[in-house]
Amino acid sequence: AQSVAQPEDQVNVAEGNPLTVKCTYSVSGNPYLFWYVQYPNRGLQFLLKYITGDNLVKGSYGFEAEFNKSQTSFHLKKPSALVSDSALYFCAVRLTGANNLFFGTGTRLTVIP
Amino acid sequence: SQTIHQWPATLVQPVGSPLSLECTVEGTSNPNLYWYRQAAGRGLQLLFYSVGIGQISSEVPQNLSASRPQDRQFILSSKKLLLSDSGFYLCAWSVGSGTEAFFGQGTRLTVV
C-alpha cells in the first residue's frame, strides 16, 4: 500500500527566513511525487513534481523540493518566505502506471511578518 | 488551454435530500477524473476516480455514487444525504499516469 506522511500539522516561520515543509512517503514501487498549495475555500494549486531525473525540482513561486530516495522524503523548501506563502500545503504520491493520487494530511504554513 | 468547472460553489441541503454535484473539463480528451472530499479543512480523501466513460472506481464505501455520462463530465450524487456528508468536495482531472492533477474550485456542502 502507498501512503504519504506530513509529520507537522503547523509550521511557523518569520518572513524572509527559509522554510521547509516535510513529506515522507511509503510505496512499493517508483513514486511520482507532487506538492500542492491550498488557499482558504479554494481548490488545490499545483506547485511542482518529481517524476525522474534531477533530485532537486524547482516549481512555482520560488518553491523547490528535493527527492531523497534513501530517506523516502520529498521536503518542500523556499529560501525566503513571504507572508503571502501562508496557506495549507499538501504532498501527494502516485505510483508509476497508477491513476489515483494519494495526499498527505496537509501542513499549515504561517509566515509571520 | 484546459479548464475545469465545478458547481455549485456552496450548497446547503437538508438531511435526506438528494445531491448532484457536477464537474466538467474543457480543452482535453479522455482525462482521468477524480472526486475528493476534504473534511475540516485538512486531509483529502479520494472518493471516486474514472479513466473513461462509464468506468468508475470507488475508493471508500459510502453514501455517495459517481457517474461519467460523457468524456469530460463527472457527477457526484447521493439519494439521501447524511449529516456526515458535509464537507468540501473537489473535482480534479489529469492525463496519463505520471502527470499532476488539476483541481476545480470546490463545492462547500453543508447538510443540515
Side-chain angles (χ1 to χ4, degrees), chain A residues 36 38 42 94 99 101 106, chain B residues 34 36 42 97 99 101 105:
Chain A
Y36 287 82
Q38 186 182 32
R42 303 298 297 272
R94 189 204 303 270
N99 292 305
L101 194 63
Chain B
Y34 310 86
Y36 287 87
R42 294 310 295 262
S97 63
T99 61
Q105 292 302 297

Side-chain angles (χ1 to χ4, degrees), chain A residues 40-103:
Chain A
N41 294 310
R42 303 298 297 272
L44 277 69
Q45 296 179 30
F46 169 72
L47 281 178
L48 51 80
K49 65 182 177 183
Y50 172 81
I51 302 299
T52 187
D54 193 351
N55 289 343
L56 183 63
V57 179
K58 294 187 182 296
S60 306
Y61 312 118
F63 285 94
E64 59 187 29
E66 186 167 10
F67 172 64
N68 187 318
K69 189 172 184 177
S70 63
Q71 297 185 8
T72 62
S73 66
F74 190 55
H75 300 332
L76 181 70
K77 299 182 179 182
K78 186 173 182 179
S80 178
L82 301 173
V83 173
S84 57
D85 292 330
S86 299
L88 190 55
Y89 290 80
F90 289 96
C91 183
V93 64
R94 189 204 303 270
L95 277 181
T96 306
N99 292 305
N100 42 353
L101 194 63
F102 289 96
F103 285 82

